[in-house]
Structure formats: structure tokens, C-alpha cells
Amino acid sequence: MALSLVAYIREFARVEWAKKFLAARTAPLVIPPYFRNYPELTGKTCTHHLFCMMACPAPGAIDVIRTPEGWQPRIHVGHCIRCGLCVEACPNGVLSSGRILESMFLDNTRLSFSFAITVDLDRCMGCGNCAVACPVNKLIDAQMSHGGRASTDDLLLKVSDGKCHVLHVEKCTGCKTCEHHCPNEAISVARLLEAVHSPEEEPWTS
Amino acid sequence: MTILQKVKNFVRSRSIHVAYVDVGSCNGCDIEVLACLSPRYDIEQYGIFVHNNPREADILLVIGAYTPGWEEKLRGLWEKIPPPKAAIAIGNCPISGCLFARPHTLVDPPVAKHIPIAAQVPGCPPRPTEILSAILSVAPTIFADYEVKTK
Ligand code: SF4
Ligand code: SF4
Ligand code: SF4
Ligand code: SF4
């Protein structure tokens, strides 16, 4: 009887059990290596295409700045939402985050960009600020008059009949300059990003 | 430092009462704070207890981009917390307004304009790990030697 009681107590008063009971801990808090953290520079050369800034959905999260070593993207912590779109968008693989570059290589995908411009004709007053501000228009017709009227139809945006018209949306680079310069919030640029398979190209290699 | 002060410092670093307030978020960060309570992260094993009562709290977690509805309320809530106290901004929203910081929206970030913020945990949302380590690193430093500092 006494012997079995001792055996019983020994079984249930083991030191490891007591330790576990009094100092229970879940596994130590570590951030796993595959976590998609803030994008970091890989050291590859940035060619200032600004695809990262175009893809970024968060206001003020990424800038491409000139440094003594050339152009470099800078991520602003507190604005960046760690979505990883800039990593996918960069054609040179300048940024990396988690396993994004590896999975893009395995799946052979890349991001394709297109832009949709809508002009709210009820709000547009035909001032032409958008057409004059647009940097693509500037390259096509540097002499465009202040009202946004021009003789050529190669322009991206043009004012005719007192309203703004989008002539060649495929030329748009998505800079949103027109949006910022419209006094009436009549024009808006939507960025459409698609992940596409690219069997022949490997755009992320430099 | 007296022995009593040492004991107080030790106890304060092992008994942190937390209240959280959502001043207009997308709920993403709220879910991550909630995940801190789950067995995987288990906030209570570090001596942190989520009360959600400002009168008993030491740490206020502020979540969200500050919508107009909080104009008079957040300040009052902060003043209800007895000192020593600290507020921690959780997520991008109280720091910069995150995705909501666009023209013609009603949010008014950063929250540091409205109440003093002791630490910021960026991320959209931040990992529970990051929230936990922020609380654990901020609380003992701020609360240490409180009686000596305020003398
Ligand atoms: S990870 Fe996303 S939010 Fe952050 S800089 Fe890149 S695109 Fe912007
Ligand atoms: S977003 Fe497109 S249309 Fe607007 S200014 Fe930039 S390039 Fe021109
Ligand atoms: S869209 Fe705006 S900026 Fe462009 S012509 Fe109309 S009102 Fe002017
Ligand atoms: S930081 Fe991101 S996840 Fe957190 S509340 Fe703001 S938008 Fe939501």
C-alpha cells in the first residue's frame, strides 16, 4: 500500500512536469524566413523605370531617389503595407522580399501594366490642365497651347469641343500627373496589374 | 535604488495591463491583436493581461487612422488611464493613415497629433510577434523607476 503510494507520487511529481507547469512557454517568437517583409535591395542596378512606384498601392510608400551609386528605391516604413508588388513589378530584380523572386522564377510570371483613364464629362470644364501637364503629351507635342488644344491626333489627351478626350490610352505611363492637376477631379487614372506567364522572357534577370 | 523600487520595477515588467482602442481601422490590426491572445502567441505567458478597461490599463494600443468620431473621445480615454502609462500605435494607420491617407478622406492621421505615442509598430498589419515585442520592450523601460522619475 505505502509502496504504491510512493510510486504514485513519484509518477506525478516529476521535476520536468513541475517545470513545464510553472514555466510554460510557446515556441520562441521568431519571424520565419519566408515572411514577406519590407522589400530589401538585392544590389542589382536600378534603371529608373519607376515600375515599383506605379505598382505600389500605398500612398508615400516607395520613392526612387538618386544616390552617389545611381538610382535606388527607398521603402518608407509606416507607409509600406508589405504587399510585394514592387518586387514583382521591377524588371531588373532590384528588390526582394520573402520568396517572391524565387516563386516568380519557378512559375515564370511577370506583372503586366495597363491603365484606364476615365473623364467625368459632367465635371470636366475643358481647361486642358491635364493635357498640358501630361509628360507623354509633352514628348509628342512640346508646343501644345495652354488650353490643351493641338493639331495632331497622336496625343494621349486632348481637349476638343470643350471637353477632354482620351485618344491613345495605350501611351499612358500611369504617372497620375493629370489627376493631380485637374482642378475639378474630373479625370482619374486606374492602374490595372495582371500577372502573366512569360514562357520566353525572363524579365527579372538583369 | 531601494529594494522596494527594485521589486516594483520587477512586478511592473511582469504585470502589464493592456487596453486597446480602434479609432477607425479596417479591422486587420484588431485581428492581429486578437491573435496575440491565441495559444500560438499567448500574450499572458509574458505577464501581459488584456483588460480593455482604461482605468486599469498601463498600455493603450491605438489602432486605426483616426476618424472624426474620435475627436473628443480619444483624449478623454487617454486621460482616464492612471500614470505610469504609454500608448503604442499599432499598424500603419495611426502612423501615416496607411491606404486611407488620400485626398478628400475624413481620416486625420497621425494619432501622435492627438495623444502622446511612445512607440510605433509599422506594418499592415504588423505580425503578432512584432506587437508583443513592442509591448515587452516599451513597458519595462517606461515604467522603470516611475516614483524616482516623478519625484
Ligand atoms: S511592398 Fe507594396 S506597399 Fe510596400 S513599397 Fe512595395 S508595392 Fe509599395
Ligand atoms: S497618367 Fe497617363 S494621361 Fe495622366 S499625365 Fe500620366 S501619362 Fe499622361
Ligand atoms: S479633365 Fe480636368 S484638367 Fe482635364 S480638361 Fe477636364 S477639367 Fe481640365
Ligand atoms: S494598418 Fe493596415 S491592417 Fe492595420 S488597420 Fe490600417 S489598413 Fe488595416
Side-chain angles (χ1 to χ4, degrees), chain A residues 24-32 35 37-38 57-59 77-82 185, chain B residues 14 39-41 45-46 92 96 98-99 101-102 104 122-127 129-130 132:
Chain A
R25 282 279 182 275
T26 48
L29 299 176
V30 286
I31 290 182
F35 176 55
N37 213 329
Y38 295 107
V77 172
H79 293 256
C80 172
I81 63 169
R82 303 193 271 207
E185 294 163 36
Chain B
R14 297 286 304 161
R40 174 66 189 88
Y41 296 99
Q45 71 184 324
Y46 302 100
N92 283 357
S96 67
C98 201
L99 297 166
R102 296 180 193 275
H104 318 297
C124 178
R127 293 177 66 85
T129 316
E130 293 169 331
L132 271 172

Side-chain angles (χ1 to χ4, degrees), chain A residues 78-81, chain B residues 22 24-32 63-65 90-100 121-126:
Chain A
H79 293 256
C80 172
I81 63 169
Chain B
D22 175 348
S25 84
C26 77
N27 270 180
C29 289
D30 305 66
I31 299 284
E32 298 304 308
I63 306 160
I90 301 292
N92 283 357
C93 274
I95 301 172
S96 67
C98 201
L99 297 166
F100 308 114
V121 191
C124 178

Side-chain angles (χ1 to χ4, degrees), chain B:
Chain B
M1 204 202 311
T2 60
I3 293 175
L4 179 63
Q5 191 61 52
K6 272 189 187 148
V7 171
K8 279 185 181 174
N9 287 351
F10 175 75
V11 171
R12 283 215 179 100
S13 71
R14 297 286 304 161
S15 153
I16 306 163
H17 288 216
V18 169
Y20 57 86
V21 60
D22 175 348
V23 294
S25 84
C26 77
N27 270 180
C29 289
D30 305 66
I31 299 284
E32 298 304 308
V33 170
L34 200 69
C36 292
L37 305 173
S38 71
R40 174 66 189 88
Y41 296 99
D42 194 8
I43 202 167
E44 287 182 6
Q45 71 184 324
Y46 302 100
I48 306 171
F49 187 50
V50 180
H51 248 303
N52 229 8
N53 176 359
R55 296 263 192 222
E56 290 174 273
D58 304 310
I59 297 264
L60 180 69
L61 304 181
V62 188
I63 306 160
Y66 200 84
T67 48
W70 287 90
E71 215 62 73
E72 297 101 39
K73 297 185 191 96
L74 185 62
R75 187 83 227 176
L77 200 152
W78 170 244
E79 275 155 13
K80 279 197 183 88
I81 302 179
K85 59 184 171 182
I88 302 182
I90 301 292
N92 283 357
C93 274
I95 301 172
S96 67
C98 201
L99 297 166
F100 308 114
R102 296 180 193 275
H104 318 297
T105 54
L106 290 171
V107 297
D108 188 18
V111 169
K113 280 199 295 198
H114 311 285
I115 58 168
I117 295 285
Q120 297 175 330
V121 191
C124 178
R127 293 177 66 85
T129 316
E130 293 169 331
I131 300 174
L132 271 172
S133 44
I135 300 176
L136 288 173
S137 57
V138 162
T141 10
I142 291 196
F143 301 152
D145 304 331
Y146 170 70
E147 285 80 4
V148 180
K149 279 189 231 154
T150 47
K151 222 173 248 167

Side-chain angles (χ1 to χ4, degrees), chain A residues 119-120 123-131 147 157 159 162-164 178 181-187:
Chain A
V119 182
D120 183 345
R123 308 193 81 165
C124 176
M125 54 188 182
C127 65
N129 282 5
C130 53
L157 299 170
V159 174
K163 296 284 173 196
C164 171
C178 49
H181 284 81
C182 177
N184 253 5
E185 294 163 36
I187 192 161

